[in-house]
Amino acid sequence: LKPVKIGICGLGTVGGSTYQVLSRETELLSARAGVQLYVSHIGARRDNPHCATADTRVSRDIFDVARDPQVDILVELIGGTTVAKELIETALASGKHVVTANKALIAEFGSELFALADKHGVVIRYEAAVAGGIPIIKALRERLAGNQILWLAGIINGTGNFILTEMKDKGRAFADVLAEAQALGYAEADPTFDVEGIDAAHKLIILAAIAFGMPLEFTRVYTEGISRITPRDVDYAQELGYRIKHLGIAKQSEAGVELRVHPTLIPERRLLANVDGVKNAVMVEGSAVGPTLYYGAGAGGDATASAVVADVIDLARDIAAEQRPQIASLGVAQQNIVAQTIVPMVQVVTPWYVRLEAEDRAGVMAQITALFSDEGISIEALIQKAPSAGESKVPVIVLTNAAAQGRLDAVIAAMDKLESIADEIMCIRVEMLDV
Ligand code: HSE
């Protein structure tokens, strides 16, 4: 058998680790693939001081790798949606299979790229694009194929989870923890993608497209980040028996599909509430299997390389068998992908955590509870704190029963008109995840 030759473009955190795993474990991985694997060509604009490339050929022009007739599989690890897209298009047109960790590219241009791959008789694999080292793509696309997927909910951004965990456990400041996540190689090149939920939204639409056989329509995901969460909210949530996690949720309902990324209170006894640090976890409920849970490192070089290398091995097996990979990119043939109605957020029903500052005088609490009851929202728990020194207003925390966002919006609009309540009101959704 001819060896399978791999070209790696990008030698940053994930690229460097992928090269090292493939070099370090060549024997083991080749045995698994049933064919000799080796990295024949690297494309990197600059060296990585943490990754010696031995005698492997290195080109400064990454397109040299995409055009190299020797390369069978191109591994794209440069990130971004401009040059990376062009690189992948070039590789596909040269008849190479592609492996990528690029969630932004798959979320935004996946449909177009999958169609192009099809045209050239090759495939794009992207296990590393979602939840780092956790094999969630394979699980959802292949191993849960016997199920209707009812819903999935996951912590799918390692940087965000690391920040929330450090805030909770050590009371650390947001910016300080973010800087550490960047130094550890967890964060995106532009970390607002992590803290504003864009990265999680990219991953969620990929999971939803596989789960529901729907198109990759990234812009339809409701996206809210964690940057507004304060240490006080973390503490109050804890007092009420909850943890704040940043969740991506895709749920099938009679009205359509809910697609949402937002901070969420989860009861502290749930497994997802205890997924800490850079770890990710995705819960998937299938119609036959029931709830399932996938857990592991969601970011970082080696963990992500684990997923990249698994895709390389899968493709190498097909190359060795001289067969075209059979599994469709989203697990469903292009012609069977069906657009879904996306449920508008005002109709999405969840319990709510509401934190506000109210005047500390008789009748104000009655006013507050009346506003909720006027909208038919029942209160599950209510805490009023003592005023801080020199403050005339006191923090009030309300936990409601399930209510559509539209109803809560009406309560908040009414509160905005009351002088007894300060302008800044924090609302966070609650998910009970009681399966
Ligand atoms: N910035 C991403 C995260 C990397 O923190 O989850 C993994 O996709």
Side-chain angles (χ1 to χ4, degrees):
L1 279 183
K2 277 201 313 181
V4 168
K5 294 182 185 151
I6 302 150
I8 299 178
C9 288
L11 208 57
T13 305
V14 180
S17 285
T18 299
Y19 178 76
Q20 281 165 342
V21 171
L22 281 166
S23 313
R24 194 170 64 219
E25 311 282 6
T26 306
E27 296 285 298
L28 173 71
L29 305 179
S30 298
R32 287 190 178 143
V35 61
Q36 184 65 40
L37 298 176
Y38 93 96
V39 181
S40 64
H41 199 164
I42 292 172
R45 289 187 194 135
R46 61 192 79 86
D47 290 336
N48 177 341
H50 306 293
C51 178
T53 48
D55 50 4
T56 307
R57 179 179 169 202
V58 180
S59 294
R60 292 294 175 222
D61 181 353
I62 54 174
F63 285 85
D64 285 352
V65 183
R67 293 191 202 98
D68 179 348
Q70 300 289 313
V71 167
D72 299 298
I73 302 171
L74 180 120
V75 179
E76 181 277 308
L77 299 170
I78 65 169
T81 51
T82 52
V83 182
K85 179 164 183 271
E86 223 183 296
L87 180 79
I88 289 180
E89 287 165 347
T90 308
L92 297 174
S94 313
K96 300 181 198 324
H97 296 301
V98 169
V99 173
T100 180
N102 194 330
K103 51 263 163 149
L105 190 62
I106 297 298
E108 293 181 39
F109 300 103
S111 307
E112 182 187 330
L113 290 170
F114 294 153
L116 186 68
D118 232 25
K119 190 177 136 197
H120 292 290
V122 288
V123 296
I124 303 173
R125 293 292 184 238
Y126 54 89
E127 181 64 69
V130 181
I134 305 173
I136 186 63
I137 300 293
K138 184 113 181 159
L140 196 56
R141 187 180 58 199
E142 297 164 41
R143 307 327 300 165
L144 294 177
N147 292 262
Q148 222 188 93
I149 304 301
L150 307 176
W151 59 265
L152 60 89
I155 295 169
I156 46 180
N157 181 266
T159 302
N161 202 45
F162 181 66
I163 293 172
L164 289 175
T165 304
E166 292 287 302
M167 275 169 75
K168 171 179 71 71
D169 289 348
K170 302 180 192 154
R172 289 177 65 190
F174 193 102
D176 172 40
V177 191
L178 175 58
E180 189 182 343
Q182 287 177 289
L184 289 166
Y186 299 159
E188 295 302 295
D190 174 355
T192 56
F193 275 50
D194 296 296
V195 298
E196 296 307 342
I198 303 156
D199 178 76
H202 283 143
K203 293 165 177 167
L204 184 72
I205 192 64
I206 296 172
L207 294 177
I210 298 171
F212 305 127
M214 58 183 282
L216 286 156
E217 294 174 311
F218 160 66
T219 52
R220 307 193 70 186
V221 181
Y222 169 79
T223 305
E224 196 184 311
I226 56 167
S227 57
R228 288 182 321 121
I229 303 293
T230 67
R232 282 194 302 164
D233 295 309
V234 173
D235 289 346
Y236 294 148
Q238 201 148 332
E239 204 172 309
L240 289 160
Y242 292 78
R243 302 263 166 84
I244 300 180
K245 291 293 177 188
H246 195 215
L247 291 192
I249 298 171
K251 195 187 275 184
Q252 184 91 62
S253 72
E254 269 177 32
V257 172
E258 293 177 17
L259 286 178
R260 46 195 174 96
V261 166
H262 50 72
T264 315
L265 267 73
I266 309 175
E268 66 191 357
R269 60 191 178 281
R270 300 278 181 257
L271 288 168
L272 273 190
N274 293 284
V275 171
D276 284 338
V278 76
K279 293 292 195 295
N280 280 193
V282 184
M283 283 189 83
V284 183
E285 172 142 20
S287 53
V289 71
T292 58
L293 179 67
Y294 309 85
Y295 168 86
D302 282 3
T304 311
S306 162
V308 170
V309 170
D311 275 345
V312 168
I313 293 175
D314 262 2
L315 290 172
R317 286 173 179 147
D318 284 325
I319 294 171
E322 294 183 0
Q323 67 179 19
R324 189 173 165 166
Q326 293 300 308
I327 296 152
S329 301
L330 296 174
V332 170
Q334 189 59 37
Q335 67 270 18
N336 293 328
I337 289 183
V338 181
Q340 304 278 337
T341 304
I342 307 301
V343 182
M345 285 307 288
V346 285
Q347 290 175 20
V348 170
V349 176
T350 63
W352 290 88
Y353 161 102
V354 179
R355 172 177 58 78
L356 51 98
E357 302 270 325
E359 288 290 349
D360 188 16
R361 59 180 161 75
V364 172
M365 192 59 85
Q367 260 182 328
I368 293 172
T369 55
L371 291 179
F372 283 99
S373 66
D374 286 352
E375 284 300 323
I377 302 176
S378 151
I379 292 174
E380 172 80 17
L382 194 147
I383 302 175
Q384 181 189 316
K385 295 284 175 189
S388 312
E391 292 284 336
S392 66
K393 291 198 165 70
V394 291
V396 175
I397 299 97
V398 182
L399 203 60
T400 78
N401 283 333
Q405 184 193 306
R407 291 202 176 266
L408 187 84
D409 288 348
V411 173
I412 304 303
M415 284 181 177
D416 281 342
K417 293 195 188 114
L418 293 180
E419 276 181 19
S420 52
I421 297 177
D423 288 345
E424 193 222 306
I425 300 171
M426 171 67 90
C427 302
I428 309 176
R429 292 173 183 80
V430 181
E431 288 288 342
M432 302 310 287
L433 299 174
D434 41 2
V435 287

